[in-house]
Structures are given as structure tokens and as C-alpha cells.
Amino acid sequence: GVVHLASAALAATMLASSYSSASARTVIDFSAPSTAAAFAAVDDRVMGGASTSRVVHEDGAALFEGNLIVEGGGFASVRYLGEISLSPEAEALSLEARSDGRKGYKLTLSSAAAPQGVSYQLVLPQLDEGAPFERLRLPLADFKPSLRGRPATDAPPLRAVDVRGLGLMLSRYESGGGIKEPIAPGAFQLRLRRLAEAESELAINGRRWVNPQ
């Protein structure tokens, strides 16, 4: 019994230690001035809308800003022009964000295993206006496949090893498609500082086992 407990404690310690280095793996450093220039607008004009958006560098963060017009397409979106990759074992992402209090912001991911045009979307938790940066945990399993604002029911589940691209969006559509509750039109601002691979649930539980509160 004592040996088993010691072995379990050692395993949990190793797991927590391994995460300490893995957790530092940054996917996108939004605080770098060059990051903002790597985004391009992909707004609802492709659907007849008139929304506008852009990403600029301001005060050590990337600022996703623009104007949402709900008539027509009803979304403002930007796409990261570079390619991203995640560790095969990644289960979730960690996003440092600060918001204007709006709801409807999304992080979108593209997958090499999905049909062309499909994006995996997750609505970000609504943050209080004026609050400091918060770290949001975004499980990959919660991202829903969407194609042109509708559920992409034939798309495979999102796997970390297949993730290739990323985008930001303010949208009146649900993650998996379909119109959601009304989203107010007008100016918007979402500030981002860092996107990283998040700690796994297994590592979290292992750390709690080693250091119970």
C-alpha cells in the first residue's frame, strides 16, 4: 500500500512537472507587433453583408476591432495567414483575452481532415467590459463544425494533430450554425495577449493530488 501510494505520488509529480514545460508552448503570441499584420479580414461581404473588421497592435496586445452590421451576413471575421500546429496530445487551448462586454465572439480553427470551407467554432465566454485580461480555457471537444453558417454534420471530430488555421469572429450565428439570440450591431473591440496549449484535465488532477488545497 505504501509503495503503491509512493508510486502514484511520483507519477503525479512527474505529470505536473511535465506540464510546467508543455504549458509554456505558445501557439500565437498576440503581444508581438508582427502578429497583427498576419491577419486578413474575411467579413460577411462575401454573403452580401457590410461588416468590417481588422487586427491592429495596441498597448502590447492584438486588438480585433470593427463594425458589425447585422443586416445581410451578420458577422465580422479575420483569418490568421500563417499556419499553426498543436501537440498531438493537446486537449484544450488557453486564451488571454479582454473584452468590451459583448457576446458573440468566437475562436475558429481549421482542420486538415475536414472538407474545404468547414471551420470549427467556439463562442468565447462573455467577459465584463473594462475587466482585466482573463485566461479562458477552450476545450477542443467543444469546437463545433460549421459550413457557411450551418452545421457541418459530416465533418469529423476536431483533433489537435489536424489543426492548421485560426480565425477570430464576432457573429450572430451559433458555433455549429444557425442564428442565435440577437447580437447588437455597431463598433466592437476584443483584445488578445496569448494563445497557448492548456493544461490537460489529467495534469490538473495530478497536481491537485500532489498539492491538495
Side-chain angles (χ1 to χ4, degrees):
V2 174
V3 174
H4 176 74
L5 289 174
S7 299
L10 177 60
T13 301
M14 291 176 64
L15 186 61
S17 297
S18 66
Y19 170 70
S20 65
S21 58
S23 65
R25 186 180 186 279
T26 298
V27 179
I28 295 182
D29 180 8
F30 287 105
S31 68
S34 59
T35 299
F39 279 88
V42 189
D43 297 314
D44 57 12
R45 299 181 190 187
V46 298
M47 298 173 59
S51 299
T52 59
S53 66
R54 65 175 185 169
V55 176
V56 297
H57 183 262
E58 183 178 287
D59 297 330
L63 175 63
F64 173 45
E65 65 175 5
N67 187 44
L68 179 69
I69 307 297
V70 296
E71 294 79 10
F75 68 88
S77 174
V78 293
R79 181 180 69 243
Y80 185 61
L81 299 178
E83 186 171 292
I84 66 171
S85 63
L86 303 179
S87 303
E89 66 274 10
E91 298 176 1
L93 297 174
S94 175
L95 178 66
E96 293 181 30
R98 183 181 179 189
S99 173
D100 55 6
R102 275 181 171 273
K103 51 189 173 183
Y105 287 114
K106 294 179 183 179
L107 183 70
T108 69
L109 300 174
S110 63
S111 167
Q116 185 174 4
V118 170
S119 67
Y120 292 78
Q121 306 180 358
L122 179 63
V123 176
L124 302 181
Q126 186 175 4
L127 303 176
D128 293 333
E129 181 179 6
F133 277 92
E134 294 187 39
R135 188 171 297 167
L136 308 176
R137 179 181 172 83
L138 312 175
L140 295 183
D142 290 349
F143 283 77
K144 306 300 181 186
S146 176
L147 177 63
R148 300 185 184 93
R150 298 181 179 179
T153 55
D154 294 334
L158 181 63
R159 300 190 310 161
V161 70
D162 297 323
V163 172
R164 295 291 184 273
L166 174 144
L168 302 168
M169 181 181 289
L170 175 63
S171 172
R172 66 182 182 130
Y173 295 92
E174 296 284 0
S175 292
I179 295 178
K180 63 187 299 181
E181 58 185 300
I183 300 296
F188 64 87
Q189 290 190 335
L190 175 68
R191 299 176 187 274
L192 305 172
R193 199 157 57 187
R194 181 175 182 251
L195 179 71
E197 293 181 4
E199 184 175 13
S200 69
E201 291 291 343
L202 186 61
I204 293 174
N205 292 333
R207 194 179 69 251
R208 287 172 179 167
W209 198 92
V210 174
N211 299 305
Q213 299 297 320

